Amino acid sequence: MTSIRLLVVDDQAAIRDALAVMLDLDPEITVVGTAANGEEAVTAVGEHDPQVVLMDLHMPVMGGVEATRRILAARPGLPVVVLTTFEDDESILAALRAGARGYLTKDSDRTRIVQAVRGAHAGQAVLDPDVQSRLLTLATRVPAPEPDTPVPLTAREREVLDLIGQGLRNNEIARRLYITESTVKTHINNLFAKADLHSRADAVRLALTLAGSRKEDGRSV
């Protein structure tokens, strides 16, 4: 039986090495490489040709959301399974929107992680039970403002909102727009006040709603 070629990505060396050793013991998995951040992960995919990527989320240099987006742009269909300590709405939405096929928390045991790798390789979506519960809650929550109700954002605030919707953190938005992180925070505070948002998850939902509206009829928000 041909084993699944796996790339392990985590910025903490102890966790990264432990995962690599633990998963490589499974007869159906071969760890072909590791990476310490998203930028290394993008390079490692080209070098090692993995069949599944196990991806940490919040890392220096480049986070897991941006790395997932770049990897899938180059290798559409490559299964990425997020393994992280974060299970907040914003992180879940951003990772799934970037194209992650699975989302697990780091309290998952070895059996669960192995099953997730196998399932992702087989084309299945793999979600931690707590993550599934949060997604159900999100689905029944009061939606973000309808796009037909104008939100009076400046051009820069719209750019920041779009990048939040893509899952970028404040420091990543600052680098993308060539502005300081404190300026990003000011824009976020302003758009939260104008759009009556209470969390970044609300901002992600609004960004998705407005982006969908623009695709449908070409309107600007």
Side-chain angles (χ1 to χ4, degrees):
M1 177 183 297
T2 303
S3 60
I4 301 167
R5 297 170 57 83
L6 178 68
L7 174 68
V8 176
V9 185
D10 198 294
D11 65 320
Q12 297 184 55
I15 293 177
R16 183 173 67 248
D17 294 344
L19 284 170
V21 170
M22 176 183 74
L23 294 171
D24 202 50
L25 291 173
D26 188 275
E28 295 183 27
I29 297 174
T30 297
V31 175
V32 294
T34 62
N37 58 60
E39 190 173 89
E40 289 185 9
V42 173
T43 300
V45 166
E47 292 177 347
H48 300 293
D49 191 28
Q51 294 171 298
V52 178
V53 178
L54 191 64
M55 180 74 74
D56 191 13
L57 211 54
H58 299 308
M59 299 177 287
V61 184
M62 182 189 295
V65 171
E66 180 66 13
T68 297
R69 187 178 294 109
R70 294 193 186 189
I71 287 170
L72 293 179
R75 289 275 305 275
L78 175 62
V80 176
V81 177
V82 169
L83 180 65
T84 179
T85 57
F86 298 88
E87 54 178 316
D88 57 283
D89 298 347
E90 177 199 348
S91 296
I92 295 168
L93 288 171
L96 297 181
R97 185 173 186 267
R101 189 172 295 177
Y103 197 109
L104 301 177
T105 56
K106 286 184 178 177
D107 58 1
S108 301
D109 60 20
R110 176 182 180 277
T111 299
R112 179 62 178 158
I113 298 172
V114 167
Q115 289 174 342
V117 171
R118 292 175 182 170
H121 181 254
Q124 302 169 6
V126 185
L127 297 175
D128 184 275
D130 289 340
V131 171
Q132 288 181 316
S133 177
R134 294 190 74 89
L135 287 175
L136 288 173
T137 300
L138 283 171
T140 57
R141 227 180 242 178
V142 176
E146 289 295 327
D148 290 335
T149 303
V151 179
L153 303 180
T154 66
R156 181 63 89 187
E157 288 164 356
R158 289 198 298 270
E159 287 181 308
V160 171
L161 179 63
D162 286 342
L163 293 174
I164 290 174
Q166 294 174 33
L168 273 65
R169 313 296 292 182
N170 288 0
N171 61 336
E172 294 171 322
I173 294 173
R175 288 198 298 269
R176 181 73 66 87
L177 298 180
Y178 301 102
I179 58 179
T180 66
E181 192 169 346
S182 63
T183 301
V184 172
K185 291 178 181 178
T186 298
H187 288 312
I188 290 175
N189 289 336
N190 290 340
L191 72 88
F192 269 45
K194 290 179 179 180
D196 192 26
L197 304 176
H198 303 287
S199 69
R200 285 181 80 101
D202 289 341
V204 170
R205 286 194 293 274
L206 177 58
L208 293 175
T209 300
L210 297 178
S213 176
R214 289 197 295 270
K215 285 182 181 178
E216 288 177 4
D217 57 22
R219 288 179 301 165
S220 293
V221 180

